Amino acid sequence: MKVAKIPGDTSGNALSCAEHAIYLMLALLRDQREMYNCLQQEQIGVPIGQTLYGKTVLILGYGNIGKELAARLKPFGVNILAIKRSWGSHDASDLVHEKGVNDQLLDFTRRADIIVTCCSLTPETVGIINAEVLGALKKGGYVVNIARGGLIDYKAVKTALEAKHLGGLGLDVAWFEPFDPTDPILKYPNVIMTPHVAGVTELSYRNMAKTVADVALQIQAGGDIASIKDIEIVN
């Protein structure tokens, strides 16, 4: 039996995740939760938000999602930094103002206003957003995670929020799922969390369903699964 996956760059999943990362960034910068409170209090013209324009965004992990995010951030007028384990000739690095490798994480973090985690969860990346990285981030900086919950050290990020060093946290993934809605981290007004829906769009689901159906038809017709396009064999 063979197991295959549908690459995110062909299914629309990576594109959808990139859009969601931008949504979380804008929601934090414009203080979405406080805007809702102002509506309830019948206030207008507040709060004063921040623009994405002019910010420095660090993309941690420059795979399919990272590339889609860089492409969509560029028109916002941001400075894009990206870190990847190693860079190849087909990495669309022209979208990035400066590229680095893992050893440069702290240096890049010191210059970032926003960190977006887009990397895979591996033994090397578990808790990569830890106390040291958060301490290097500019005071008032933001962290957005649309990859895997385990990339962020829960205790470290909670401490940074409590100390008001971290300006905001945008999460689409959690350390444990489903996440406890009474968890103390959700009590902070500068934390926005969505229920693991970054890749859940009509576009990505339609494309994935079409790919599965196309592959089934090709196999039924006697096609060699190893040569079928739009999927990657993983075993």
Side-chain angles (χ1 to χ4, degrees), residues 17 21 58-67 69 82-86 102 105 115-129 143-152 173 196:
C17 288
L58 169 56
I59 301 175
L60 182 54
Y62 198 69
N64 290 329
I65 296 174
K67 293 173 190 174
L69 178 56
I83 284 183
K84 188 176 182 180
R85 186 167 46 193
S86 61
N102 293 351
L105 175 57
I115 301 175
V116 185
T117 53
C118 303
C119 52
S120 301
L121 183 63
T122 68
E124 292 74 31
T125 61
V126 170
I128 193 169
I129 304 299
V143 171
V144 169
N145 186 11
I146 45 87
R148 292 291 181 264
L151 296 169
I152 295 181
V173 288
H196 207 146

Side-chain angles (χ1 to χ4, degrees), residues 166-178:
L166 185 60
L169 178 66
L171 302 172
D172 183 56
V173 288
W175 300 267
F176 303 99
E177 294 181 338

Side-chain angles (χ1 to χ4, degrees), residues 50-120:
Q50 297 186 59
T51 62
L52 188 50
Y53 173 80
K55 297 292 187 293
T56 295
V57 178
L58 169 56
I59 301 175
L60 182 54
Y62 198 69
N64 290 329
I65 296 174
K67 293 173 190 174
E68 295 284 1
L69 178 56
R72 282 155 184 78
L73 279 175
K74 201 166 185 180
F76 279 91
V78 302
N79 182 42
I80 303 172
L81 312 177
I83 284 183
K84 188 176 182 180
R85 186 167 46 193
S86 61
W87 291 83
S89 57
H90 302 291
D91 282 327
S93 56
D94 58 311
L95 297 170
V96 176
H97 295 98
E98 191 172 348
K99 58 184 182 180
V101 294
N102 293 351
D103 289 347
Q104 295 172 276
L105 175 57
L106 290 179
D107 175 52
F108 276 37
T109 296
R110 292 185 184 97
R111 291 182 277 151
D113 298 294
I114 306 168
I115 301 175
V116 185
T117 53
C118 303
C119 52
S120 301

Side-chain angles (χ1 to χ4, degrees), residues 22-40:
I22 291 174
Y23 157 70
L24 288 172
M25 282 187 267
L26 292 173
L28 290 170
L29 288 165
R30 291 301 183 99
D31 204 347
Q32 178 177 292
R33 291 181 64 172
E34 181 58 23
M35 284 194 285
Y36 180 78
N37 291 336
C38 290
L39 279 173
Q40 300 303 305

